[in-house]
Amino acid sequence: MIIVPVDEKEKDDLIERLNYEGRSYRTVNIYDKTVVFLDGKGMSTEHHIKHLYSREFRDRTVVNVAGVRIGESLTIAAGPCAVENEEQVMETASLVKRYGADMLRGGAYKPRTSPYSFQGLGKDGIRILERAKDEFNIPIVTEIMNPEYYEIMENVDMLQVGSRNAQNFDLLRFLGKKDKPVLLKNGMGNTIGEWLDASEYILNGGNGNIVMCYRGVRGIEESTRFTMNIGTVIAAKRKTHLPVCVDPSHASGKREYVESMALAAVAAGSDMIEVEVHNDPECALSDSEQQLYPDDFRKLAKKLRKLKTFIDGMDEKTNIQYQ
Ligand code: PEP
Ligand code: MN
């Protein structure tokens, strides 16, 4: 049972009572609150909730990634699928930054289906991302596959948990003990409940800096690489206070579809878009067919911002009408 005392006094009284009764419990500080996790049957008097991700706990969370406030206005992260070499990253970073990206993405440790596919540059890749971060003054997000890479990623601003590690509970627990922001993808075979439960592993360790990233699931449809259910985005926004991101690149697998899927995601309420962009997609070492040309990204970023402004404006009008 999760108990959220309303103030210091209620917390102190509760803990005194639990100690007196010899109950087993644990406390965690998250956001501006102390939360008490109680083993066994709970107390009826206090405010208890089922999940820290739920909107019973909080209305809305803004995740601050090196000054980029995700959940406040539309955030766009763009960059290559994989870090391949310095020139590729620098050129792509320079262009996505110029065209309006808030963050640079790029995988240095790549979870590839086949062990014979390009596995990423590892530590050298992280160093290249760091150089791009400094040169273009843009926060970086990259995938962590294993806690042992955490130290190498000290200067990375946001850690991505990929679809293949979405239920790697040791990794999730590990990230829960840190305060670095996490971009948590859904497992490709997971329900929304399982995806949200994955976030709970991080939250209940005390790390509240999580953005939920939907990248589609494995469905029966073959026209897209994965199946992006727009309803999942809408439901996620309702079920959690955490910001929601959509990755239209992996969801579609085809660069021709990325723009429409990204626009649909923003229309559905997504707070962030993470999109793959490569300076020379035809020659990319991974996900060549889904990475945007820089000029496609320029047009996409413009449209996304316009759409977001339009949607926010619509909300205001609705409010006025109903007042
Ligand atoms: C990625 O974003 O680099 C990636 C591998 O995506 P996913 O984990 O969603 O397949
Ligand atoms: Mn990719």
Side-chain angles (χ1 to χ4, degrees):
M1 159 167 283
I2 306 169
I3 303 177
V4 188
V6 292
D7 54 27
E8 279 294 302
K9 183 175 178 323
E10 193 177 297
K11 182 192 80 184
D12 293 344
D13 290 351
L14 172 66
I15 285 174
E16 201 183 304
R17 210 162 97 212
L18 293 174
N19 287 338
Y20 179 76
E21 291 175 9
R23 300 283 304 261
S24 147
Y25 69 91
R26 149 181 105 85
T27 63
V28 147
N29 294 323
I30 183 161
Y31 306 118
D32 49 356
K33 295 190 172 85
T34 300
V35 173
V36 181
F37 298 91
L38 184 59
D39 287 345
K41 215 168 163 297
M43 325 234 152
S44 55
T45 48
E46 282 79 16
H47 178 215
H48 47 261
I49 58 169
K50 286 207 180 75
H51 298 103
L52 296 178
Y53 64 68
S54 71
R55 294 191 61 183
E56 282 178 285
F57 180 46
R58 261 165 92 74
D59 188 41
R60 220 160 63 94
T61 292
V62 171
V63 175
N64 188 338
V65 180
V68 174
R69 296 174 60 80
I70 304 170
E72 215 165 64
S73 56
L74 181 67
T75 302
I76 304 177
C81 175
V83 173
E84 297 169 8
N85 57 64
E86 181 152 359
E87 195 193 328
Q88 168 236 11
V89 171
M90 288 301 181
E91 199 175 315
T92 309
S94 135
L95 291 169
V96 298
K97 168 84 188 195
R98 189 188 311 156
Y99 299 151
D102 305 292
M103 295 174 63
L104 175 68
R105 67 145 284 148
Y109 293 87
K110 295 299 300 174
R112 304 306 301 282
T113 302
S114 163
Y116 305 119
S117 302
F118 176 58
Q119 301 289 306
L121 298 184
K123 193 174 172 178
D124 293 342
I126 299 294
R127 299 295 165 253
I128 293 174
L129 285 172
E130 287 172 352
R131 260 171 251 145
K133 165 181 162 152
D134 293 344
E135 174 98 13
F136 303 107
N137 189 26
I138 187 167
I140 51 179
V141 53
T142 198
E143 177 162 353
I144 183 165
M145 284 163 56
N146 187 313
E148 82 187 35
Y149 305 141
Y150 188 82
E151 270 179 44
I152 297 168
M153 298 183 178
E154 195 190 333
N155 298 319
V156 169
D157 301 289
M158 184 177 219
L159 297 173
Q160 179 168 311
V161 173
S163 191
R164 290 152 191 85
N165 271 307
Q167 287 187 305
N168 179 339
F169 300 118
D170 284 342
L171 177 63
L172 299 173
R173 259 190 225 104
F174 172 85
L175 294 171
K177 296 200 193 84
K178 310 290 176 190
D179 58 7
K180 214 181 258 295
V182 175
L183 187 61
L184 176 61
K185 292 213 167 181
N186 66 294
M188 60 182 83
N190 286 167
T191 61
I192 187 169
E194 289 163 339
W195 179 33
L196 291 166
D197 276 341
S199 76
E200 191 77 10
Y201 273 88
I202 304 173
L203 287 161
N204 89 9
N207 186 353
N209 299 314
I210 306 168
V211 176
M212 303 297 287
C213 181
Y214 182 57
R215 44 83 75 219
V217 291
R218 190 77 88 188
I220 55 163
E221 182 51 63
E222 290 177 335
S223 62
T224 49
R225 183 177 177 189
F226 291 95
T227 293
M228 182 179 100
N229 175 9
I230 215 69
T232 300
V233 181
I234 297 161
K237 286 293 294 173
R238 293 255 170 168
K239 286 174 186 286
T240 181
H241 54 85
L242 298 168
V244 174
C245 172
V246 167
D247 168 356
S249 304
H250 292 89
S252 67
K254 290 187 172 76
R255 82 179 120 263
E256 296 78 16
Y257 296 180
V258 166
E259 179 180 293
S260 300
M261 285 174 86
L263 289 166
V266 169
S270 184
D271 300 291
M272 175 173 171
I273 295 293
E274 186 192 36
V275 61
E276 287 187 344
V277 183
H278 193 290
N279 62 330
D280 186 6
E282 301 296 341
C283 296
L285 299 180
S286 58
D287 289 350
S288 163
E289 285 171 29
Q290 71 192 35
Q291 303 204 55
L292 295 184
Y293 287 90
D295 202 53
D296 296 335
F297 175 71
R298 181 181 62 77
K299 293 179 198 148
L300 171 65
K302 241 179 165 172
K303 286 190 187 177
L304 289 173
R305 304 270 184 222
K306 261 193 182 162
L307 178 63
K308 177 70 175 152
T309 307
F310 178 75
I311 290 169
D312 290 350
M314 260 192 343
D315 276 350
E316 265 162 41
K317 273 211 190 93
T318 309
N319 287 340
I320 292 162
Q321 277 178 355
Y322 284 95
Q323 261 166 15

